[in-house]
Amino acid sequence: APLDEEMLNAIVREAARSSYEVLGIRGYDLDHGTAVPLYFLQRNGWKGRVVALGYSFLSNEDHLRFGSCITRAASDTGRPTAFVASGDLSHRLKPEAPAGYNPNAYLFDQEIVEAIRESEPERIINIDQDLRKMAGECGYRSMLVAFGATKEMARACEVLNYEAPFGVGYLVAQIARPNGSSENKKSNQDDVDKQAKEQRRGGALTALARQAVETFVRERRVIEKPSLEDPMLNERAACFVSIKTDEGNLRGCIGTVEPAKETLADEIKTNAISSATRDPRFPPVAPSELSHLRYSVDVLSTPEPAKFEELDPKVYGVIVEDERGLRRGLLLPDLQGVETARQQVDIAARKAGLAPETPLKLFRFRVERFRETGAD
């Protein structure tokens, strides 16, 4: 994209008036923070001029002031201007993340997303700086410049998307719009809100399972209180915790059909440790394996009696019992290789040790499934 010389000169002038020096850098390839948004803009037909600005290591307040300089420069040119603040949120959201893993790093992303959703950028400006450092982010100062550039504009904060497929938080959001711009439909925002909520919740549940196993295997103790907070963890529910290797091989899976603990948090802790150490199909997990394991948590609904024709292995899990209720087998829903209700029932019956043709009582249940990457 061609350089906008007029805009750049205006920014340099306004920055100098606030005692900031803007230094030009030539002869280097664009960094990802510039190249990625330019790629998507140009792919969608944008052909305008651009000024690529890097942030500094000055104070947070300096970055806010520099944003105001950009606004004044744009006003001087008299032309419509779009400001794109580029960078990533936490780099430590999953074990395979590029900056290492921290089970609490998601709290930084959660605060950023919720602050924008609630149109409260001051929460981001005043965020706990220790939390920011723990998250290993690279987009915070870009956001500060954006907040400084838009502080005189009417807020129109909107979360468009948030995801973290590789252990790095990617947020797409709008913080201000020109007068007269149309708003997205509320239903679209509701979908985004729901998706972000589920991602945060899934991260909390699987992180708790991982923390429980790693603490027990390394230190031979059960964590007393989860360090991750989510309202769902205080509910009472049954769950299964599954552990798989990096290659996708099952390493342990144990759970409860009915709640055995007072909270889901305690249910996850107990079942996670049991999956790692008491699954009779496998030896206990060794410390050397911990970095190569992936976790998933299935939270079960209350089972309900069902007829065979009411089963659907993609939607419902199944519980089979003999007529006296002495033997019981369970199979979770949506498992690879289980395509029909007959397959599902037969596998569950074999797990219960029931002979073929044994009269069965059937129950079905739904699950909410939360996975780490690689735990499919």
Side-chain angles (χ1 to χ4, degrees), residues 26 32 34 40 44 89 106 155 238 251 255 285 324 328:
R26 299 182 184 275
H32 283 82
T34 302
F40 286 105
N44 286 278
L89 299 187
Y106 84 99
R155 290 292 177 208
R251 188 61 182 83
V285 168
R324 293 188 295 172
R328 180 164 62 177

Side-chain angles (χ1 to χ4, degrees), residues 184-194:
N184 287 353
K185 294 182 179 179
K186 183 178 183 299
S187 59
N188 292 338
Q189 183 62 33
D190 289 343
D191 290 342
V192 171
D193 291 348
K194 181 178 180 181

Side-chain angles (χ1 to χ4, degrees), residues 13 15 35 62 73 92 164 188 196 202 222 237 252 346 361:
R13 287 195 305 270
D62 284 317
R92 297 171 177 164
N188 292 338
V222 178
D346 288 348
K361 292 190 291 185

Side-chain angles (χ1 to χ4, degrees), residues 158-162 171-174 184 188-189 192 195:
E158 184 176 358
V159 174
L160 302 175
N161 188 53
Y162 173 81
L171 168 67
V172 182
Q174 176 178 272
N184 287 353
N188 292 338
Q189 183 62 33
V192 171
Q195 181 186 36

Side-chain angles (χ1 to χ4, degrees), residues 1 23 44 57 66-67 72 80 101 123 155 177 179 186 188 202 235 242 286 292 300 307 375-376:
L23 300 177
N44 286 278
F57 292 99
F66 184 63
R72 293 195 298 271
Y101 174 63
R123 288 168 55 182
R155 290 292 177 208
R177 63 164 62 91
N179 292 333
K186 183 178 183 299
N188 292 338
E235 298 174 5
S242 301
H292 302 289
L300 278 61
K307 299 177 182 178
D376 295 343

Side-chain angles (χ1 to χ4, degrees), residues 187-359:
S187 59
N188 292 338
Q189 183 62 33
D190 289 343
D191 290 342
V192 171
D193 291 348
K194 181 178 180 181
Q195 181 186 36
K197 180 179 179 181
E198 290 303 313
Q199 288 170 336
R200 293 195 304 273
R201 171 172 288 174
L205 271 60
T206 56
L208 175 58
R210 174 179 289 277
Q211 184 182 10
V213 170
E214 293 185 350
T215 300
F216 187 84
V217 171
R218 289 191 177 116
E219 305 175 24
R220 310 308 296 178
R221 68 178 179 88
V222 178
I223 55 175
E224 295 182 1
K225 183 179 180 181
S227 58
L228 302 170
E229 297 297 334
D230 185 287
M232 189 177 187
L233 292 172
N234 294 319
E235 298 174 5
R236 195 163 189 261
C239 74
F240 272 71
V241 176
S242 301
I243 306 174
K244 292 187 177 181
T245 65
D246 284 339
E247 293 76 26
N249 298 319
L250 185 65
R251 188 61 182 83
C253 179
I254 285 181
T256 45
V257 178
E258 298 175 351
K261 303 294 181 180
E262 290 301 315
T263 66
L264 177 59
D266 289 329
E267 204 87 22
I268 291 172
K269 288 191 301 180
T270 300
N271 292 342
I273 293 171
S274 295
S275 295
T277 62
R278 297 173 192 151
D279 189 323
R281 298 169 292 180
F282 306 99
V285 168
S288 60
E289 297 180 77
L290 292 174
S291 62
H292 302 289
L293 300 178
R294 301 291 176 263
Y295 297 78
S296 64
V297 177
D298 288 314
V299 181
L300 278 61
S301 68
T302 302
E304 60 182 14
K307 299 177 182 178
F308 181 82
E309 57 270 20
E310 295 174 329
L311 300 179
D312 182 339
K314 296 299 182 184
V315 177
Y316 298 103
V318 69
I319 300 169
V320 302
E321 289 183 356
D322 62 11
E323 290 187 323
R324 293 188 295 172
L326 299 178
R327 291 178 176 270
R328 180 164 62 177
L330 177 146
L331 200 66
L332 295 171
D334 197 21
L335 298 180
Q336 185 175 3
V338 181
E339 303 296 333
T340 67
R342 174 50 57 196
Q343 285 179 293
Q344 188 184 43
V345 170
D346 288 348
I347 294 171
R350 287 199 300 271
K351 292 177 69 175
L354 296 171
E357 309 305 326
T358 300

